Each structure stands twice: as C-alpha cells, then as structure tokens.
Amino acid sequence: MDITAMFTKAYREIFQNMSEGIIMVDERGTIAVANPVAEQFFGYEPNELNGRSIEELLPQRLRQGHEKMRFGFNAHPQPRRMGMGRDLLGLRKNGSEFPIEISLSYFNIQEKMMVMAFISDISQRKKTEEALKRSEEQLIVYAAELENKVHLRTEALNQSITKLENEVKERKKAEEEAKKSLEKERELNDLKSKFVSIASHEFRTPLSAVLSSTSLIQQYKNRGDFDKMDKHINRVKSSVNHLTNILNDFLSLGKLEEGRVEVNRENIRLREFLEEIVEEVKASLKENQKVEIEYTSSVNEVVTDPRILRGIMFNLLSNASKYSNPGKKIGISCESKNSFIYFHIKDEGIGISAEDQKHLFERFYRASNAGNEQGTGLGLNIVKRYVELINGAISFMSEYEKGSTFTISIPCENC
Ligand code: ADP
C-alpha cells in the first residue's frame, strides 16, 4: 500500500474519532475545518462551523482580547497551551458557556499558516474540582464546628470540674466547721467540768471562811469585841471578793469564747488612768507591799478601750502581789517608742521556772510554785486574749525565785 495514502487515511481516522475537538483556522481566524467532536462540543451540525470566525466560539466579552492574542500568535507561532493560568470559556451555539482547555499547534501549507487548536471540554473536571472544593470547604466548616464543639465540651467540663472543686471545698469547709464546733463543744464541756472541779475546790475555802467568820462575828458581837468583829468582817469581804474574781474570770472567758467582747476605744489620760488602777489594787495588796509608778513616757494620752486595759493591768498587778511575799515592791512603768506604748509590771516575787514559762498562757495552767495561792489559772489566758483584742502584745521575763516582769505593748498613733 502507498505509504502516503496510509498516513492520510490514519490522520483522517484520528481527526474524525479523537476524543479531543480539533479546529483548524487560517491566519485571519476563519475556521477551515472542525472535527465532529469539536462540532459536538460547540453544538453545531456537521461542517456548520466551516467558514465561521473562530471568535464566534467565544463569549462576546472575550472576543476582542482573543483577536489580539491571535495576532500575537501569528507573529511568533509556536506550539503551546492556551490560557495558562486562567480559565478558558467556549460559547455553544445555543448561547451557553462551558469551560475548555486548548493546545495550539500550526503548520504552513502553500505558504499560508494554518493554526490547529486541540480542544478539551473540561466541564466534568471543573464540576469535580468544584465538588472537591465544596467538600473541602465543608470539611473546613465541619472542622471549625468540631473545634467549637470540643471547645464547648471542654468549657462544660471545666465548669463541672470547677463546680466539683467548689463542692469539695464547701464540703471540706462544712467538715472543718463541724470539726471546729465539735472542738468548741468539747472545749466548752472541758471548761464546764473544769469549772465544776475548780468551783468545788476554790469556792470551798472562801465559803467556809465566810461561814466561820459570820458565826464568829455573832459571838464577838455578843461579847462586844469590836476589833475582832472588824477582822472577820474584812475576812468575809476578801473571801467574797475572791469568789467574785473567780466568777468574773469565768464570765470573761465565756464572753471571749462567744466573741461577745466589744472594743470601745476612747482617749485615755495615762497618768491618771494608772494612778486610779493602783489605788484600786491597794485594797488587795499583802502586808507592806507597795506599788510604785514610774512614768517615763512623753506621751500623755492614748486611744484604746479603757475597760479592757484596766482589766489587763488589774490582773497583772494582782498576780504581782499574789506571787510576791509581804513587804515586796511592785513597779509599774510606762514608756513609749516606735508607735507603741509599753507598760511594764515588775515584781520581786517567786518567779517562774523555765519549764512553767512555756505554758504560762494556757488555760487553767498554774506554775509548780503557785503553792497555796488561790487561783484558777485563767487570768493570764484572759489577759492575753484581751491584749490581742486591742491589737497589742504581751510578753514576760522571769527568773525563778527572783521576780518577774510582764510587758504589754499597744499601738499608739502619736508615739
Ligand atoms: P492564777 O493566778 O489564777 O493561778 P493566772 O492565769 O493569772 O492564774 O496565772 C497562771 C500562773 O502563772 C499562776 O498560777 C502562777 O503560777 C503564774 N504566775 C502568774 N503571774 C505570776 C507572777 N507575777 N509571778 C510568778 N508567777 C506568776
């Protein structure tokens, strides 16, 4: 078979049956021939495209631009893909548009250039691409929704954790409160039983003293022995005072326990205040005991609760007297420095051992050398709590058998 005839036949087959559309155009853009696929793409009858301008296959708005590009191609022809980087559109005979992809080639025939366009209808691919894009977008939306859900769940979880933590805290608090009130109740019971034992012990001596003194007073009255009567009347008085002191201590403790002690601050003139207390204490001093006031403070006035401060001073001065022998000196001095006013109550009494010093402020604690001196071991505990109520502090120094000095400091604005 003639080889040229064979090629011609083969090319015709390719031209007719290729899946791509082929359109051949001359230099002026007139379509010389189009294969059936191209005719189908653009919706034309067989051979209906021949003789039409290639621009007719483009949407109106793109035609001018295309014409320019065609001239450009004619000037420098070379096989290439058309529309790199942008989407190409074809126009069907019925006016609808569809996406296409074009590769260009050319050849010369009888000194005229023919351009050959290979066209693919990429509608399907575009649809797939768009569907892909849409599902990508959906995926992004879904991911965002998921993230949001996770965020909401985490927040809800955090809230439940916080709620749980708060519940645990509250339960702990309730437990602690229950424990505290149980402890308080226990303490109160302890206090009550201590009170009963102290009352039965401490009350017996003064009460029997009162009983014996009153019957003696009766006898001395009949005999007209007024001196002895006086002596026993004083004994009755001091016993009653002692009982009153014990009861006062218990009352104070009860009030402190229940937080019922109010602090009412007012201006106190220090010198007069101390002199009044010393005057009051004198009645209960032992024989020949003396209280001396040493006043070195340049400050004359201080603002604090006078009732509380009186209670503190009275207690410390009473102890100084109680735990010293008759004839001993008791000193009370007052100085001010660094925004504090200091009161020192000094005695030459029995002192406190190092071991006892550790427990001195504990409730009901009495030092080993307290001996027969009457007492409940409550006074210093109450004093300490009173001092704290007026924002002060208490300390002491003591040497066994030599004496003790108790120091109170309270804040003072103008010191
Ligand atoms: P009370 O005097 O009723 O026993 P306090 O609480 O006032 O109770 O004092 C506790 C203990 O501290 C006393 O029992 C005593 O042993 C000791 N104490 C207090 N003040 C002095 C003091 N000035 N000198 C020696 N010991 C003291």
Side-chain angles (χ1 to χ4, degrees):
M1 194 180 178
D2 175 8
I3 193 103
T4 315
M6 196 176 79
F7 269 122
T8 310
K9 197 165 170 49
Y11 281 133
R12 184 167 300 130
E13 269 312 300
I14 293 170
F15 186 76
Q16 290 293 326
N17 298 315
M18 222 172 113
S19 61
E20 277 183 309
I22 303 173
I23 296 178
M24 273 190 236
V25 190
D26 66 14
E27 279 176 74
R28 288 196 312 274
T30 308
I31 298 171
V33 65
N35 73 347
V37 177
E39 286 165 345
Q40 267 165 34
F41 281 172
F42 290 93
Y44 286 86
E45 298 298 320
N47 300 323
E48 201 187 343
L49 278 174
N50 302 355
R52 289 178 188 261
S53 156
I54 186 74
E55 267 83 35
E56 274 185 55
L57 301 183
L58 267 76
Q60 182 71 47
R61 60 184 186 283
L62 304 176
R63 287 181 187 166
Q64 219 179 346
H66 184 262
E67 221 172 334
K68 267 190 208 153
M69 278 193 278
R70 200 158 45 73
F71 295 149
F73 185 86
N74 290 348
H76 306 285
Q78 61 180 39
R80 62 173 172 88
R81 269 168 62 97
M82 227 181 117
M84 291 292 276
R86 65 201 155 86
D87 287 341
L88 298 176
L89 286 172
L91 180 72
R92 292 198 190 93
K93 192 178 168 190
N94 65 7
S96 61
E97 295 178 7
F98 66 109
I100 49 178
E101 223 171 52
I102 299 176
S103 294
L104 294 178
S105 189
Y106 72 98
F107 57 91
N108 290 317
I109 192 162
Q110 291 160 3
E111 291 182 3
K112 281 199 176 149
M113 189 178 76
M114 292 301 284
V115 178
M116 208 159 46
F118 298 91
I119 302 159
S120 306
D121 179 347
I122 56 166
S123 309
Q124 201 49 47
R125 201 176 80 199
K126 279 276 164 198
K127 265 186 204 151
T128 318
E129 272 174 16
E130 261 155 35
L132 215 65
K133 206 171 147 201
R134 264 204 304 281
S135 42
E136 248 174 42
E137 278 167 6
Q138 270 171 356
L139 219 64
I140 290 169
V141 171
Y142 182 66
E145 274 172 9
L146 212 68
E147 206 174 311
N148 198 28
K149 258 187 204 162
V150 170
H151 180 71
L152 288 178
R153 290 262 161 86
T154 317
E155 229 167 50
L157 210 69
N158 280 343
Q159 271 172 8
S160 335
I161 290 174
T162 318
K163 205 171 144 201
L164 217 69
E165 277 174 350
N166 284 344
E167 272 174 23
V168 171
K169 259 188 217 157
E170 255 161 43
R171 199 168 298 164
K172 256 192 190 161
K173 209 172 130 194
E175 269 171 21
E176 264 164 30
E177 266 164 23
K179 212 169 133 193
K180 259 190 207 158
S181 67
L182 203 77
E183 262 168 31
K184 202 146 207 179
E185 208 172 307
R186 206 173 289 152
E187 263 178 40
L188 224 65
N189 278 340
D190 191 40
L191 198 70
K192 274 183 203 156
S193 58
K194 280 256 172 57
F195 175 77
V196 173
S197 84
I198 283 173
S200 54
H201 179 259
E202 284 294 312
F203 282 24
R204 192 174 296 148
T205 323
L207 282 178
S208 55
V210 169
L211 201 67
S212 70
S213 287
T214 43
S215 52
L216 283 172
I217 287 168
Q218 223 158 22
Q219 284 177 25
Y220 291 131
K221 187 184 146 203
N222 295 338
R223 278 197 237 150
D225 192 341
F226 295 110
D227 282 349
K228 291 226 166 108
M229 259 176 78
D230 269 352
K231 189 182 149 202
H232 283 281
I233 286 171
N234 283 338
R235 220 174 131 202
V236 170
K237 270 189 198 165
S238 100
S239 298
V240 170
N241 273 342
H242 180 55
L243 287 172
T244 315
N245 286 342
I246 297 175
L247 285 174
N248 280 342
D249 277 359
F250 275 102
L251 283 177
S252 302
L253 200 65
K255 272 191 181 175
L256 279 165
E257 283 296 321
E258 289 164 24
R260 280 196 293 125
V261 181
E262 264 182 48
V263 178
N264 299 309
R265 291 187 168 79
E266 56 182 79
N267 215 15
I268 298 175
R269 296 166 68 81
L270 280 168
R271 207 179 281 261
E272 283 94 324
F273 179 76
L274 292 180
E275 276 163 7
E276 266 172 39
I277 295 173
V278 169
E279 211 41 52
E280 238 173 283
V281 151
K282 264 185 189 165
S284 56
L285 291 179
K286 287 182 185 166
E287 225 180 326
N288 294 329
Q289 280 184 342
K290 255 205 312 206
V291 183
E292 282 172 7
I293 304 179
E294 190 190 337
Y295 199 87
T296 55
S297 170
S298 55
V299 177
N300 292 321
E301 294 180 341
V302 68
V303 176
T304 190
D305 185 316
R307 210 172 38 90
I308 293 181
L309 189 60
R310 178 173 286 114
I312 295 168
M313 291 296 182
F314 199 85
N315 215 308
L316 293 176
L317 283 169
S318 303
N319 275 354
S321 156
K322 189 158 67 169
Y323 299 108
S324 298
N325 286 330
K328 291 289 181 188
K329 248 189 346 200
I330 297 163
I332 172 164
S333 64
C334 174
E335 55 167 344
S336 50
K337 58 181 175 200
N338 305 334
S339 301
F340 278 96
I341 192 135
Y342 295 85
F343 300 98
H344 307 283
I345 292 102
K346 186 171 189 267
D347 65 55
E348 299 167 341
I350 59 172
I352 304 151
S353 74
E355 183 49 39
D356 285 326
Q357 288 187 18
K358 290 183 212 156
H359 309 281
L360 214 64
F361 293 108
E362 286 169 19
R363 199 190 278 171
F364 299 113
Y365 190 82
R366 306 204 70 205
S368 47
N369 59 345
N372 286 332
E373 291 300 340
Q374 289 173 331
T376 57
L378 285 176
L380 283 182
N381 181 269
I382 293 170
V383 163
K384 188 169 189 306
R385 292 162 77 168
Y386 272 152
V387 170
E388 282 159 7
L389 270 181
I390 53 170
N391 303 324
I394 180 167
S395 61
F396 67 90
M397 289 211 305
S398 183
E399 212 177 321
Y400 193 61
E401 292 181 342
K402 292 252 167 70
S404 318
T405 302
F406 282 80
T407 299
I408 305 289
S409 58
I410 54 170
C412 150
E413 267 177 26
N414 49 344
C415 292

